[in-house]
Amino acid sequence: MLFPLKFRPKDSYKEGMRRFGANRDHGRRKHAGCDLYAPIGTPVFAVADGTVIDVYPFYLGSWAIEVDHGSFVVRYGEVKPKVAAGIKPKARVTARQLLGEVGLLKGLKMSMIHFEMFSGAAKGPLTVKGNPPYQRRSDLMDPTPFLDAADMQAGKPPSPCFWFPGLQTGGRGFGLDADSRVGLAHGGGQFGFTNGM
């Protein structure tokens, strides 16, 4: 799974009111997702391939995008009402595809992605008012461990065919000239390619 933003928020989604299970409405219900604080207009990406279930008004002027990702369902809440082109019910999406942008919560002067996950074992609306303590469908999951393990490579992956300065073509594919050193970012690490790889 990919992280839905290009960065991890400075304010941890595992603490305070942002965390899954935090009290809401004076303890009458619990927070059903993780809040990923981000500036208004921050791009929001699909965390995996999937199919859009629905796009609809959500909370304080923001909207939500529901996507069935096959082995789980995500509600990307609190996005701008104007979602990305082509994002509509039954549309196929690919991992890293732009879904929309972080919206403004009117009256709160806050902006974030409210990220909810469901196993897909249940059917029907994700919000179920009479189902305490979360008021959500019975297959609600804690997204925290999935977000913790998520790959941070949001955005387009590099093309498998690329050229770097200093890269010389040879009789059998590519080689590097003697003075070149090329680094490719991959996940959280760095692969260094030098002459004689």
Side-chain angles (χ1 to χ4, degrees), residues 11-68:
D11 296 306
S12 174
Y13 51 82
K14 297 187 272 190
E15 298 175 357
M17 296 298 285
R18 299 174 297 277
R19 69 181 174 83
F20 179 81
N23 283 332
R24 292 289 192 271
D25 297 333
H26 305 288
R28 288 190 291 270
R29 67 179 178 91
K30 292 191 177 292
H31 190 215
C34 290
D35 288 339
L36 311 176
Y37 284 13
I40 296 166
T42 299
V44 178
F45 300 98
V47 298
D49 294 350
T51 304
V52 177
I53 299 169
D54 205 359
V55 180
Y56 52 88
F58 187 56
Y59 181 64
L60 297 178
S62 69
W63 282 52
I65 303 167
E66 288 180 19
V67 180
D68 182 344

Side-chain angles (χ1 to χ4, degrees), residues 68-80:
D68 182 344
H69 289 294
S71 57
F72 59 93
V73 172
V74 170
R75 172 153 51 188
Y76 302 82
E78 301 172 10
V79 299
K80 285 184 175 182

Side-chain angles (χ1 to χ4, degrees), residues 165-188:
L167 204 57
Q168 304 295 320
T169 58
R172 295 201 204 182
F174 293 96
L176 292 171
D177 63 27
D179 298 323
S180 295
R181 183 179 294 265
V182 179
L184 291 177
H186 180 75

Side-chain angles (χ1 to χ4, degrees), residues 117-183:
M117 287 185 75
F118 299 80
S119 72
K123 300 298 177 194
L126 301 183
T127 298
V128 181
K129 294 286 188 184
N131 190 23
Y134 293 96
Q135 298 184 8
R136 293 297 188 267
R137 206 168 72 179
S138 62
D139 60 333
L140 176 71
M141 302 189 313
D142 179 353
T144 308
F146 297 92
L147 290 168
D148 285 349
D151 189 335
M152 288 305 302
Q153 288 195 27
K156 293 278 187 187
S159 167
C161 298
F162 47 80
W163 177 86
F164 293 101
L167 204 57
Q168 304 295 320
T169 58
R172 295 201 204 182
F174 293 96
L176 292 171
D177 63 27
D179 298 323
S180 295
R181 183 179 294 265
V182 179

